[in-house]
């Protein structure tokens, strides 16, 4: 999973990126401090791996990972080449989802590129640039499809119809992800690599002393939530400065600090959970003396395709999957005990994997 962290300059984007990846991207009080995208790969927090590690004492524990990409701050006119312009936009195309950091705090020591703090305006600034870039892409696709319709191929007629409808949608300043499409059209859209089809989480960056205040009482948060609800996006309220402090702590300190703040989980944990949910992802688990590992798959993935995540031979020669839910394994204490009670299921090709399935794949090639 690759997440692009975007936002206007000086909204706390790189501070948040540093906190969740501890990758050390430069964070400074001026626009375009981030020019090349910084990348950080972080482990997906999963307490189930700790349980498996305690049971198996493996030589290696391998969590699922998320790649965060800190993309240069966007400014008004980027779709026409202003600021870092199209270079910024091209980096977004490579990501699975967008984490859009929105400034919801006042600080006279941190300049705002627009001169004032206004979350709704800032969201519109970026969204309009992404929509403008997509309009240009769709216009090209539409014109090309119209020329090719005379060839008689059904595909071009479908592309022309989709392009016409999508252009009208974008001209209403609405992101492409909110345009109703069929499954066939959705497949076509994936080939167009549009920016506004990507799922979005708005990370509302609040002041550190605002934590603990009911979200809807915080400045700007109701406006951000209202925008998100209109465009099928999510909202995560977070303090980048607090996350910076948490990132420097050991596990015991971190837990005590989170409990004192009354927030339970760090921003990274909540962000990853929100992204998994947004993208429809789950994890299945493999366990043994050599390695305990979490594997990320799309919800609805069948057993042979899940096996293919481990190795293509596993999918090609798939025989069956031996599965026990993680909670059942922990309750009985061992795989042997689960087998004795007949709780290890043998599943075939049509089995749809579930989150937390502890799995052994049988295959033959």
């Amino acid at each position: 999973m690759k997440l692009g962290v975007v936002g206007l300059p000086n909204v706390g984007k790189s501070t948040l990126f540093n906190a969740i990846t501890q990758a050390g991207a430069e964070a400074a009080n001026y626009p375009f401090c981030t020019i090349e995208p910084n990348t950080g790969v972080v482990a997906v927090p999963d307490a189930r791996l700790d349980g498996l590690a305690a049971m198996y004492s493996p030589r290696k524990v391998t969590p699922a990972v998320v790649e965060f990409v800190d993309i240069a701050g966007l400014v008004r006119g980027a779709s026409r080449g202003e600021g870092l312009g199209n270079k910024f936009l091209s980096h977004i195309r490579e990501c699975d989802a967008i984490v859009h950091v929105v400034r919801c705090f006042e600080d006279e020591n941190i300049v705002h590129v627009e001169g004032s703090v206004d979350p709704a305006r800032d969201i519109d600034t970026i969204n309009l640039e992404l929509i403008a870039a997509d309009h240009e892409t769709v216009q090209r696709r539409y014109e090309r499809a119209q020329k090719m319709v005379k060839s008689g191929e059904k595909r071009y007629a479908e592309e022309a119809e989709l392009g016409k409808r999508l252009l009208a949608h974008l001209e209403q300043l609405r992101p492409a992800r909110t345009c109703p499409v069929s499954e066939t059209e959705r497949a076509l859209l994936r080939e167009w690599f549009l920016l506004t089809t990507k799922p979005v989480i708005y990370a509302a960056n609040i002041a550190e002393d605002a934590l603990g205040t009911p979200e809807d009482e915080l400045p700007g948060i109701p406006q951000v939530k209202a925008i998100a609800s209109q465009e099928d996006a999510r909202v995560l309220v977070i303090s980048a400065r607090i996350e910076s402090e948490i990132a420097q702590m050991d596990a015991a300190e971190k837990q005590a600090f989170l409990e004192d703040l009354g927030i339970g989980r760090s921003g990274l944990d909540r962000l990853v959970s929100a992204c998994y949910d947004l993208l429809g992802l789950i994890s299945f688990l493999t366990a043994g003396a050599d390695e305990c590992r979490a594997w990320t798959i799309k919800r609805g993935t069948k057993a042979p395709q899940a096996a293919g995540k481990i190795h293509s031979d596993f999918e090609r020669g798939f025989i069956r999957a031996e599965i026990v839910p993680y909670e059942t394994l922990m309750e009985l204490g061992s795989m042997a005990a689960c087998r004795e009670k007949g709780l290890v299921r043998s599943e075939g090709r049509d089995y749809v994997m579930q989150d937390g399935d502890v799995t052994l794949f049988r295959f033959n090639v």
Side-chain angles (χ1 to χ4, degrees):
M1 180 165 62
K2 190 173 186 177
L3 305 175
V5 185
V6 307
L8 290 172
N10 300 343
V11 297
K13 179 175 57 65
S14 292
T15 300
L16 178 60
F17 173 83
N18 289 348
I20 58 181
T21 65
Q22 300 184 47
E26 185 179 1
N29 182 25
Y30 56 91
F32 309 125
C33 172
T34 306
I35 298 176
E36 292 298 330
N38 294 287
T39 300
V41 177
V42 302
V44 175
D46 194 336
R48 296 173 301 194
L49 277 180
D50 298 332
L52 292 175
M55 180 178 291
Y56 285 91
S57 300
R59 283 185 278 276
K60 184 164 66 166
V61 176
T62 308
V65 296
V66 176
E67 183 178 354
F68 285 94
V69 183
D70 180 24
I71 299 170
L74 184 62
V75 293
R76 196 180 302 278
S79 60
R80 303 186 304 277
E82 294 294 327
L84 296 172
N86 294 326
K87 187 173 186 180
F88 170 96
L89 300 175
S90 68
H91 293 314
I92 298 177
R93 294 188 198 280
E94 301 166 8
C95 297
D96 298 307
I98 296 171
V99 179
H100 182 164
V101 183
V102 184
R103 180 170 167 178
C104 296
F105 67 90
E106 295 280 356
D107 189 331
E108 61 184 18
N109 296 315
I110 301 178
V111 298
H112 191 290
V113 70
E114 297 279 7
S116 63
V117 175
D118 184 338
R121 178 205 60 210
D122 292 353
I123 288 173
D124 281 346
T125 297
I126 286 191
N127 283 351
L128 290 175
E129 295 306 324
L130 302 185
I131 287 168
D134 278 353
H135 189 278
E136 185 178 331
T137 300
V138 175
Q139 185 72 46
R140 287 198 304 269
R141 286 279 187 168
Y142 172 61
E143 291 173 357
R144 177 176 176 272
Q146 275 194 312
K147 291 177 183 176
M148 298 298 293
V149 163
K150 63 183 71 173
S151 71
E153 281 194 47
K154 181 181 177 183
R155 174 192 176 91
Y156 294 117
E158 291 173 342
E159 282 199 9
E161 173 57 32
L162 175 60
K164 180 180 179 180
R165 188 151 38 88
L166 200 51
L167 282 172
H169 188 82
L170 293 168
E171 284 163 6
Q172 294 174 20
L173 306 182
R174 298 165 67 191
R177 64 180 170 275
T178 64
C179 183
V181 294
S182 67
E183 284 304 312
T184 301
E185 291 171 332
R186 198 179 307 280
L188 286 174
L189 269 182
R190 280 195 287 271
E191 299 175 12
W192 295 9
F193 299 103
L194 301 182
L195 303 172
T196 63
T197 56
K198 296 186 183 298
V200 172
I201 289 181
Y202 289 112
N205 186 16
I206 62 173
E208 52 192 312
D209 59 4
L211 275 179
T213 304
E215 290 183 358
D216 290 342
E217 295 178 14
L218 293 169
I221 301 300
Q223 293 95 314
V224 176
K225 287 185 175 182
I227 292 169
S229 68
Q230 293 170 3
E231 55 183 52
D232 196 23
R234 309 289 170 85
V235 178
L236 178 73
V237 178
I238 196 168
S239 169
R241 285 191 179 179
I242 290 292
E243 293 302 318
S244 294
E245 293 180 36
I246 291 172
Q248 308 304 316
M249 299 176 182
D250 61 32
E253 272 187 305
K254 171 183 168 181
Q255 193 55 45
F257 185 65
L258 291 172
E259 288 174 5
D260 286 345
L261 289 173
I263 56 177
R265 295 192 299 163
S266 72
L268 172 60
D269 289 6
R270 292 185 293 123
L271 180 58
V272 170
S273 294
C275 289
Y276 261 57
D277 183 51
L278 185 70
L279 293 171
L281 301 177
I282 60 172
S283 294
F284 72 91
L285 307 160
T286 53
D290 285 335
E291 182 182 36
C292 292
R293 182 163 181 168
W295 304 84
T296 300
I297 55 174
K298 278 274 191 184
R299 190 177 298 280
T301 298
K302 293 186 176 180
Q305 288 69 52
K309 292 286 288 186
I310 299 175
H311 196 286
S312 58
D313 284 350
F314 283 31
E315 181 176 0
R316 186 160 54 92
F318 178 88
I319 298 173
R320 67 180 183 275
E322 296 178 1
I323 289 172
V324 62
Y326 171 80
E327 292 76 11
T328 302
L329 178 59
M330 290 297 106
E331 182 182 339
L332 296 185
S334 72
M335 189 65 78
C338 291
R339 289 188 189 280
E340 283 177 17
K341 290 187 176 291
L343 296 175
V344 178
R345 307 192 313 271
S346 180
E347 301 287 0
R349 292 184 169 276
D350 291 331
Y351 176 70
V352 176
M353 299 293 291
Q354 302 298 309
D355 188 50
D357 278 348
V358 181
T359 309
L360 174 65
F361 291 109
R362 300 292 186 184
F363 70 103
N364 183 36
V365 290

